Amino acid sequence: MYSEKVMDHFSNPRNVGEIENPSGVGTVGNAKCGDIMRMYLDVDENQVIQDVKFKTFGCGAAIATSSMATEMVKGRTIQQALEVTNKAVMEALDGLPPVKVHCSLLAEQAIHAALWDYAQKNNIKIEGLEPPVNDIEEIVEDED
Ligand code: FES
C-alpha cells in the first residue's frame, strides 16, 4: 500500500525536532483526524532556509510527507520552498494512497505558515504566499 520511500521516511524521519529562536514557526491541524503539524525554519539574511525541523502529532503519511518536505526545502530560497507543493512531495515519495493525500497538505501548509510568520516578523512580503490556514480542511475541498 505504501511505497518504499514512504516507509523509509516514516520509519526514519529526517529533521524531527525544534529550532530554538526560529526565524519562523507555523502550526496547522486537520480538524477531521485531529492531527497537528508544527514547522520551524531558520532563514538567513539571503532568504535561504538554513535549517528546518518539524514536530507532529500525526499519522504515518503526515510524518513521511513532512520528512520529505523538510529535505526538499532545506538549503533552498524562500521562493524555491514555495514551489514545494504537496504534489511535488508526493511525487518524490513515489505516491500516496488516495485516502492519504490530504495528509500531505499538513507539511505544505505548515511550511507556508512558518514562512508567513517569518515575513511578519521581518516586515516583508513574500510574493505568492497566501495567509496561512489553521485547519487544512479549509482548503482540502480545492484539492479533491
Ligand atoms: Fe490525519 Fe493523516 S490521518 S493527517
Side-chain angles (χ1 to χ4, degrees):
M1 172 166 166
Y2 288 115
S3 73
E4 265 173 45
K5 282 187 189 165
V6 172
M7 290 312 291
D8 175 32
H9 279 263
F10 167 62
S11 323
N12 179 24
R14 283 53 150 190
N15 305 308
V16 173
E18 287 180 35
I19 294 175
E20 250 180 76
N21 303 317
S23 313
V25 57
T27 307
V28 294
N30 180 342
K32 230 177 213 167
C33 62
D35 289 349
I36 294 168
M37 175 76 53
R38 181 166 294 160
M39 208 51 89
Y40 301 83
L41 297 177
D42 181 19
V43 183
D44 72 12
E45 63 283 359
N46 298 316
Q47 299 200 339
V48 174
I49 297 171
Q50 290 296 344
D51 200 8
V52 48
K53 295 262 192 274
F54 79 95
K55 278 175 102 177
T56 187
F57 185 82
C59 73
I63 292 169
T65 48
S66 302
S67 168
M68 180 57 96
T70 56
E71 293 271 274
M72 290 169 80
V73 301
K74 202 170 182 174
R76 302 292 171 87
T77 64
I78 284 175
Q79 282 305 327
Q80 288 169 333
L82 278 180
E83 287 161 26
V84 177
T85 61
N86 74 311
K87 290 195 176 75
V89 173
M90 283 193 294
E91 266 165 37
L93 286 170
D94 296 334
L96 275 180
V99 292
K100 287 285 172 186
V101 168
H102 72 277
C103 310
S104 64
L105 279 167
L106 276 182
E108 177 200 278
Q109 289 303 310
I111 289 172
H112 288 189
L115 286 173
W116 185 267
D117 182 44
Y118 162 77
Q120 298 283 102
K121 282 179 177 152
N122 291 279
N123 217 6
I124 56 169
K125 186 170 163 26
I126 298 175
E127 208 58 51
L129 182 64
E130 302 283 334
V133 296
N134 291 321
D135 175 7
I136 60 159
E137 286 299 308
E138 292 170 30
I139 52 170
V140 99
E141 257 104 338
D142 303 347
E143 294 285 322
D144 286 344

